[in-house]
Amino acid sequence: MAYEPPTHSVERSLRATTGAKIVVGIDEVGRGAWAGPVTVCAAVTGLRRPPTGLTDSKLLSPKKRTALALELDSWVTAHALGHSSPEEIDDLGMTAALRLAATRALDALPVRPDAVILDGKYDYLGGPWTVRTVIKGDQSCVSVAAASVIAKVRRDAMMAELGVEHTDFRFGDNAGYPSPTHRAALRELGPTPHHRLSWAYMDGLPRWRHLKRFRSTSEPVGLEGEGQLGFDF
């Protein structure tokens, strides 16, 4: 499939309008999964020409993603990952869990960015950071595309490791997303310690519904509502 390669347009705009010298791109993976952490990558790329084929990780085959992630590890100026666990997602809600994971990624960088490009239209990060949100930033912005690929490959590897202990769920194949195999295993075996127990899919598990967790606070629909799918779809 043909696609337009990402550019440095947003990075250059932030430098020109805010005086930022170090601009970081942020993308997340795992927000719509039923199991596993939500993972955020923060990537600083400078203004160098990106590796050939760089784009949103969802547009790449697993083989191409893996090869590109290896190249990006040494190509990016700096990058770091942050995670929020299923327990934190259940306790805090997705918006706060994303903020926590992103803050952990930013804090882990060896340099402090002056400005942040955030994929999507919702600023879940907020102050004290200077944030610009970009819809489909993982396709249009070099730094966000790099973060997208690294985050996806690293989280997929983490889920594959978890799948070794829970073979019936096939986490290595579905990365915690609701595949038919995953849903069948949930019906039969119930949730693992890696599942998000506050999510709507628990309502479709009569044998295990007593394990569902509830929060006292609600989240904005734009973030919390995404991925909250039950079994009837």
Side-chain angles (χ1 to χ4, degrees):
M1 179 182 297
Y3 50 81
E4 291 293 325
T7 70
H8 294 293
S9 295
V10 179
E11 288 90 340
R12 293 182 188 277
S13 174
L14 275 170
R15 287 175 176 233
T17 58
T18 70
K21 295 182 179 179
I22 300 175
V23 178
V24 64
I26 284 183
D27 199 17
E28 54 75 26
V29 65
R31 187 166 71 194
W34 288 0
V38 63
T39 296
V40 171
C41 180
V44 180
T45 62
L47 299 176
R48 293 170 296 144
R49 177 177 295 180
T52 301
L54 178 63
T55 188
D56 173 13
S57 64
K58 296 185 292 295
L59 300 178
L60 300 171
S61 68
K63 182 177 180 180
K64 288 183 178 179
R65 275 199 305 264
T66 300
L68 190 55
L70 287 173
E71 187 174 358
L72 288 169
D73 277 342
S74 58
W75 178 81
V76 297
T77 303
H79 76 280
L81 293 170
H83 311 277
S84 284
S85 68
E87 294 84 3
E88 289 170 327
I89 294 170
D90 286 335
D91 288 342
L92 304 173
M94 184 53 73
T95 303
L98 278 170
R99 185 182 304 116
L100 180 61
T103 299
R104 286 168 172 166
L106 289 165
D107 287 345
L109 286 171
V111 293
R112 182 176 176 82
D114 302 307
V116 176
I117 304 173
L118 200 59
D119 181 52
K121 67 177 181 178
Y122 297 102
D123 178 8
Y124 57 77
L125 184 58
W129 305 96
T130 298
V131 177
R132 179 171 296 181
T133 58
V134 179
I135 297 173
K136 293 188 177 180
D138 46 11
Q139 295 182 35
S140 61
C141 302
V142 169
S143 58
V144 180
S148 168
V149 172
I150 295 172
K152 173 65 174 170
V153 170
R154 296 290 183 83
R155 186 182 181 279
D156 281 359
M158 290 173 59
M159 293 306 297
E161 291 181 9
L162 295 180
V164 173
E165 299 179 6
H166 305 280
T167 55
D168 292 305
F169 289 85
R170 302 290 294 272
F171 289 149
D173 297 328
N174 58 55
Y177 286 84
S179 69
T181 300
H182 185 173
R183 289 183 299 212
L186 272 170
R187 290 190 188 97
E188 180 65 25
L189 303 173
T192 71
H194 309 294
H195 278 87
R196 303 167 187 182
L197 300 181
S198 61
W199 281 43
Y201 73 84
M202 291 293 293
D203 295 330
L205 298 171
R207 291 176 59 191
W208 314 103
R209 196 178 299 154
H210 63 285
L211 298 175
K212 184 171 181 177
R213 294 184 59 182
F214 296 90
R215 292 192 308 276
S216 59
T217 58
S218 60
E219 291 283 0
V221 173
L223 287 177
E224 188 69 3
E226 293 183 13
Q228 294 286 326
L229 299 173
F231 276 88
D232 296 328
F233 64 93

